[in-house]
Amino acid sequence: MRAIVSIRVRPAKAENFKAYLPGLPDPLPPGSIGLTAEVDGVFAGTALAIAHPRSGTGSISVLDVPEIFRNLGIGSRLLLEAERQLIEAGCRTVRVTLTMRKGEPCPERDFLIKRGYASEKLQVRSYTFRSASAQEESWLERFRLPAGCELKPLLSAAPEEREELQRIAASLPPDLHPFEEERMLHPEFSTMLKIDGRVAGWLGVQQLASNLLLLRSMHVETEFRIRGNGMALFAELNRKHRLLDRFAYHMMSISGDNQTMLRLAERKFAPHAAKIKSIIRLEKRL
């Protein structure tokens, strides 16, 4: 006997989905649309979409089917209904964001591509690299800051220095902003670079665990013609604080729009990476 699959629209309240998706934000974003699937009355999956009718773009933030119910077409049914709901809400395009790990399959991506999702765009790529391996790199000694440079705690920047940092950051991708999530920055390791009294760059650092540092934002103004740019600043910071000795792993996340830094990271960090993770966005016209 064939199982009966039903898809229901449910009020988009986090409490209705907490049992299946405990990590959901509460309240859900405006424009949220909640769906659940049942097989013969038993819960078999859920989806959450978000409509942005003003821009004509919607997103599907959750599409989850328990393993026991996979390969029964339930995911496809949830996806189609989510798309239909977005069309009714005035959306002409839908986007889905996925996380991919280098060297590992991504069945979610294959699933979406078969259903018309394309226009793949890299959002962020993160490299988690082994410090012991990176210490063998010759550039750590070769890249040096020029005479007359000064390293100061980023979080102790004077008002005029902070204003200059903000001015420089205004023309850069948001992920390079020196004070992004300022409360998370390490007060000792986060550093401002000054050359001849002028703000020349910065390196924002966050400690994620006892053995892991995140290089949150790294930038050096090209007009100062420093070989290695931000990498030279990291090398100097490592000499000052022995970061590669004290922390077994380092992580750097780079915007998909920052092609220069992505190419640099591929050369300098990828050979030492324990993990490379990419967040991509797929898009479909409705």
Side-chain angles (χ1 to χ4, degrees):
M1 184 174 177
R2 195 169 182 180
I4 299 175
V5 179
S6 60
I7 308 294
R8 291 198 304 152
V9 179
R10 302 193 61 188
K13 297 180 180 180
E15 62 191 45
N16 291 334
F17 298 90
K18 285 290 187 183
Y20 323 122
L21 305 167
L24 278 181
D26 191 2
L28 296 175
S32 293
I33 302 165
L35 302 171
T36 56
E38 293 183 353
V39 174
D40 293 337
V42 178
F43 171 79
T46 188
L48 282 174
I50 305 173
H52 305 284
R54 182 172 296 181
S55 66
T57 301
S59 61
I60 298 175
S61 58
V62 174
L63 182 62
D64 183 71
V65 176
E67 189 169 356
I68 193 173
F69 291 110
R70 290 176 188 170
N71 300 313
L72 298 177
I74 295 169
S76 296
R77 291 275 302 274
L78 282 167
L79 182 64
L80 283 171
E81 182 60 26
E83 292 173 352
R84 192 181 71 81
Q85 292 287 332
L86 289 172
I87 291 171
E88 288 190 359
C91 297
R92 300 180 300 276
T93 302
V94 59
R95 294 171 173 172
V96 180
T97 301
L98 296 176
T99 298
M100 299 176 59
R101 290 170 176 80
K102 188 173 182 178
E104 298 181 14
C106 186
E108 299 87 351
R109 177 178 177 273
D110 299 336
F111 171 85
L112 290 165
I113 287 176
K114 288 178 182 177
R115 286 154 183 83
Y117 285 78
S119 303
E120 184 174 316
K121 178 177 173 56
L122 176 65
Q123 302 293 98
V124 177
R125 179 168 292 148
S126 64
Y127 299 80
T128 302
F129 59 93
R130 303 174 184 87
S131 301
S133 178
Q135 280 182 307
E136 301 172 4
E137 284 279 6
S138 61
W139 61 264
L140 283 167
E141 182 59 32
R142 192 170 68 251
F143 289 170
R144 289 185 173 270
L145 298 175
C149 73
E150 180 183 9
L151 299 182
K152 299 180 64 175
L154 178 63
L155 299 183
S156 299
E160 62 274 11
E161 293 171 331
R162 182 175 281 258
E163 184 177 333
E164 180 65 7
L165 287 161
Q166 300 273 18
R167 184 193 66 76
I168 295 171
S171 62
L172 300 174
D175 63 308
L176 291 182
H177 197 288
F179 299 113
E180 181 73 16
E181 296 193 59
E182 183 174 348
R183 63 185 180 83
M184 307 295 289
L185 295 178
H186 194 287
E188 182 184 9
F189 302 151
S190 297
T191 300
M192 172 177 58
L193 171 64
K194 298 191 75 173
I195 297 177
D196 297 329
R198 297 170 55 198
V199 174
W202 60 83
L203 179 54
V205 180
Q206 178 183 344
Q207 184 171 348
L208 296 180
S210 61
N211 65 344
L212 175 61
L213 283 186
L214 169 64
L215 309 179
R216 288 191 63 94
S217 58
M218 178 191 292
H219 176 72
V220 172
E221 290 285 85
T222 56
E223 66 177 276
F224 292 95
R225 299 183 180 278
I226 297 173
R227 186 182 184 188
N229 293 319
M231 304 296 283
L233 178 53
F234 173 73
E236 193 65 43
L237 202 64
N238 178 57
R239 282 189 283 271
K240 181 178 180 179
H241 294 293
R242 297 188 306 105
L243 299 180
L244 293 174
D245 287 327
R246 295 166 62 181
F247 297 91
Y249 295 92
H250 284 67
M251 179 190 296
M252 171 175 270
S253 294
I254 304 168
S255 167
D257 295 325
N258 194 342
Q259 291 298 314
T260 300
M261 185 58 75
L262 283 170
R263 287 193 294 269
L264 188 63
E266 279 296 318
R267 295 199 306 270
K268 305 301 184 185
F269 294 145
H272 312 289
K275 180 170 60 178
I276 300 176
K277 183 173 69 175
S278 298
I279 297 176
I280 65 167
R281 188 183 72 202
L282 297 171
E283 188 172 288
K284 177 182 177 180
R285 292 286 295 176
L286 295 174

